[in-house]
Amino acid sequence: MITVTAIQAAIGYLFDPFLAKGALLAIEIAALAMVGGAILGLILALMRLSSVRAVSSAAWSYIWFMRGTPVILQIIFLYDALPVVGIELDSFTTAVLGFMLNEAAFSAEIIRGGILSVDRKQSLAAASFGMGPLLTLRRIILPQAMRAILPGMANQGISMIKGTSIASVIFVNELTFRAQQIVGQNFKFFTVFAAAGVLYLVMTSAVAVAQYYLERAFNPETERKRRPTLPALTDGVDRPAAPPARNLLWIDAVRTGDTLVPVSEDPFVVCYNVQKAYGQKEILRGIDLVIKRGEVVVLMGPSGSGKSTLLRLVNHLEPLDWGQITVDGKYVGYEKQLGGGLRPTRNLAKARADARIGMVFQHFNLFDHLTALENIVEAPVHVYGEPMAKAHALGLDLLSAVGLAAHADHLPHRLSGGQQQRVAIARALAISPRLMLFDEPTSALDPELVGEVLAVIRRLAKAGMTMMVVTHEVRFAREVADRVIFMDEGQVIEEGPPNEVLDHPKHERTQRFLRMVETRAE
Ligand code: ADP
Ligand code: MG
């Protein structure tokens, strides 16, 4: 019977205003410290990831120190040291500050882990659309990193609520401290501490519930309620205002395969003595290449010969070591120095955006957390500042042009490889590209899906888009290419019309490579 009364008494203490006030204080300290700690932690995580040694070392040292010493000592130190340097804070603020500075170190590592868990190809794709580092972080990296970050941060939040009892050392009158005060007067250990325990459990459960819903919200596989995006498209009756004419042209060309722009004699992409090394390894050894407006150039060559590197240099996803590349007469991301040399522009993202070079990757690199349509409107809206409605209308048009109107609201993981690659092409076309770069667009696809992707590229080629296509599809090259360029060990070995290079290769290395590719295809 004693236990029943004890339990009743404990329940009574649950509603004791004195304890409740302590619980509220614990929540306030924990919430403020967690929010501040997460923001500081994000900054520290980015510093840790910085390529500037001094910056990453500073963050590392801070994290090393704060993780390595007890928070109770840090709080006592702040409480005693701050007044010495003339900063007078009350004990509540000191506690919040102390927990926050400590939390920042732990959050930093959790957030850094989350950022590292996102495939680097995602940021490469974002960069190719002219998205700057902060935009990429906010729109692409963090939303995907959240899944990895949330469980760790929820742990931190729960530890923090319980850990606020440490603040009693600097006389913050929180829950545990208050419970002890009551026990000190009435010696009812069980009832009072049981009530305090239940109060902690209620508070930490709230964190667990919040974690559940946040994880759901950031899980791309959770079916989101979306604004309906399809009606305007499927009936085709009251379609929104027409997108810019230039883009419409490409869309219609992709649909019909009509020739829009004949190959001209204007040089459009000019590579002059392009050299690039990674460390000691020379990857490109002086590439000279002129691609005319409207020309389709197919690049072939063994793995490691520098084809992808060359494409990445054209839209300045990587800096050149030596030589020059111009697209439509302009350097992408370089400016002339006074002495006549080139130096990289300060705002590389803007330079890439201005160049309007569409890039399609071997592994599609669609943004995994965005639907097909959202993938397409991302750059037009967030890089080029186009109104959402207009970008949507254009995106739906592009999707229907590549035969995927019905998949506008699907996330990449629900699409086949061939469909993903067609979305990726539509995404690249959405920025009204003046040049398209394809890096082995079909080599990650199952054989039966290759055709659907090549069909889109073929129509684009026929329409007169200037293109550099890395591919080993010999039949496709024969049919589509104006010129085939064969590379090996960072050099152009042989180039010419497809019937020359593919059917009568002069160079022994070209012959060997073609024999290998053709046997594989049979
Ligand atoms: P390809 O596309 O023709 O197969 P790549 O241009 O991808 O060739 O690569 C050429 C060489 O450069 C390869 O040996 C590769 O290992 C190396 N390489 C490519 N990117 C990097 C990088 N970021 N750091 C170091 N080496 C790299
Ligand atoms: Mg490659």
Side-chain angles (χ1 to χ4, degrees), residues 278-279 281 283-284 301-310 312 318 439-440 470 487:
Y278 288 116
K281 201 164 154 214
I283 307 299
L284 297 178
S303 176
S305 56
K307 307 175 299 291
S308 302
T309 305
L310 180 62
R312 283 200 301 271
E318 309 227 12
D439 193 358
E440 304 205 33
V470 176
M487 280 175 67

Side-chain angles (χ1 to χ4, degrees), residues 10 12-25 173-180 182 191-196 199:
Y13 276 116
L14 284 181
F15 301 99
D16 183 319
F18 186 67
L19 283 187
K21 196 139 178 278
L24 190 66
L25 213 56
N173 207 350
E174 50 61 65
L175 182 53
T176 302
F177 194 35
R178 283 177 187 236
Q180 283 170 341
I182 299 177
T191 45
V192 178
F193 285 142
L199 285 175

Side-chain angles (χ1 to χ4, degrees), residues 262-312:
V263 179
S264 76
E265 286 306 310
D266 296 351
F268 194 73
V269 181
V270 179
C271 303
Y272 169 69
N273 192 18
V274 169
Q275 298 185 24
K276 175 79 186 170
Y278 288 116
Q280 293 297 310
K281 201 164 154 214
E282 280 183 75
I283 307 299
L284 297 178
R285 307 153 184 253
I287 302 270
D288 293 315
L289 195 59
V290 177
I291 296 170
K292 291 176 279 202
R293 194 187 297 273
E295 192 178 19
V296 177
V297 167
V298 163
L299 295 160
M300 284 187 180
S303 176
S305 56
K307 307 175 299 291
S308 302
T309 305
L310 180 62
L311 291 195
R312 283 200 301 271

